């Protein structure tokens, strides 16, 4: 059971997480929250960003977390953000769910550290990792005493290059045979293209995902990170209405 103030869920739920790739400014994050917070369960926003290039925008760091916490208070919505380094854990006291990103799925000291805290952890599958390695990585967290774990499929690297990664839809029912944790899907990072986010979200829900994590931006074309995959408000509205048509596959 995942427990956050005013929100409890377990496998079999359908939880919607959405928000921008990166927290960029107070104006940006409040505009996005104003437009989407009443349609979602949890608000996302990256403050410590794992960017491929060291010269790309690296996130607002502590200031980004502080802005997210302001959104949490103003809109009364739980928040999730990515932790990259143990030394930043001190900034995450008011963050409801800690995300461990794909690039840190096998950062064992980090996994051990979040295993000792009393807060849900969303653990993303590494882009080059098997399901077995994901499950074993989750055991570094649970062994420390923290059983509040959500696993997240976010696409793996294959020979296919028309999408950023390849969303492994079979991972969802496979993971469900191996553990009891909720299994979420991130179609935004998997596809890397906004036009695929709605169909992949529907497919994920149909195949049994317990939740989705979606990137939404007030002005995607000018986003400081992941500008090609973030939904604008119109596409986000379309996503919500399309998801309502999908029947959840109970596994
Ligand atoms: C993210 O969700 O902001 C992110 C960087 O995702 P991933 O770790 O899946 O690449
Ligand atoms: Mn992103």
């Amino acid at each position: 059971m995942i427990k956050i103030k005013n929100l409890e869920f377990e496998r079999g739920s359908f939880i919607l997480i959405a928000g921008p790739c990166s927290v960029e400014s107070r104006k940006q994050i409040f505009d996005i929250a104003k437009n989407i917070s009443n349609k979602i369960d949890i608000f996302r926003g990256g403050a410590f960003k794992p960017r491929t290039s060291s010269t790309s925008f690296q996130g607002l760091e502590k200031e980004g977390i502080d802005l997210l916490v302001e959104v949490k208070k103003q809109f009364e919505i739980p928040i999730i953000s990515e932790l990259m380094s143990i030394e930043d854990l001190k900034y995450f006291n008011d963050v409801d769910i800690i995300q461990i990103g794909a690039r840190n799925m096998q950062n064992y000291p980090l996994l051990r550290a979040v295993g000792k805290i009393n807060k849900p952890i969303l653990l993303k599958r590494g882009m080059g990792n098997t399901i077995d390695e994901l499950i074993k990585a989750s055991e570094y967290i649970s062994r420390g005493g923290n059983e509040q774990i959500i696993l997240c499929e976010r696409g793996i690297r294959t020979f296919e290059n028309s999408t950023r990664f390849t969303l492994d839809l079979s991972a969802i029912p496979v993971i469900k045979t191996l553990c009891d944790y909720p299994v979420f899907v991130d179609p935004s990072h998997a596809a890397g293209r906004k036009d695929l986010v709605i169909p992949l979200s529907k497919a994920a829900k149909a195949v049994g995902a317990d939740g989705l994590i979606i990137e939404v931006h007030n002005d995607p074309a000018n986003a400081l990170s992941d500008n090609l995959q973030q939904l604008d408000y119109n596409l986000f509205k379309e996503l919500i209405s399309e998801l309502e048509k999908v029947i959840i596959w109970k596994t």
Side-chain angles (χ1 to χ4, degrees), residues 16-24 28-47 49 68 71 77-81 99 124 186-189 197 212-220 223 225-226 229-233 236 239-240:
L16 190 54
I17 306 178
C21 177
S22 300
V23 179
E24 298 174 9
Q28 173 238 19
I29 200 118
F30 273 72
D31 192 82
I32 299 170
K34 203 175 82 191
N35 277 278
I36 70 169
S37 63
N38 61 351
K39 299 181 191 78
I40 62 177
D41 302 294
I42 301 165
F43 190 82
R44 71 151 280 154
K49 294 301 300 176
L68 267 183
V71 162
I77 188 162
I79 53 171
I80 176 169
S81 199
Q99 176 175 322
K124 286 189 157 196
D186 176 344
S188 303
H189 288 90
V197 171
L212 294 175
I213 177 162
I214 308 280
E215 287 189 340
V216 182
H217 197 280
N218 56 318
D219 179 12
S225 58
D226 288 350
Q229 71 199 30
Q230 303 203 61
L231 301 186
D232 60 23
Y233 299 145
F236 182 71
L239 168 76
I240 301 287

Side-chain angles (χ1 to χ4, degrees), residues 115-128:
K116 288 191 205 113
I117 62 174
N118 182 21
K119 205 186 271 289
I121 308 298
L122 182 140
L123 177 63
K124 286 189 157 196
R125 179 182 181 184
M127 60 193 78

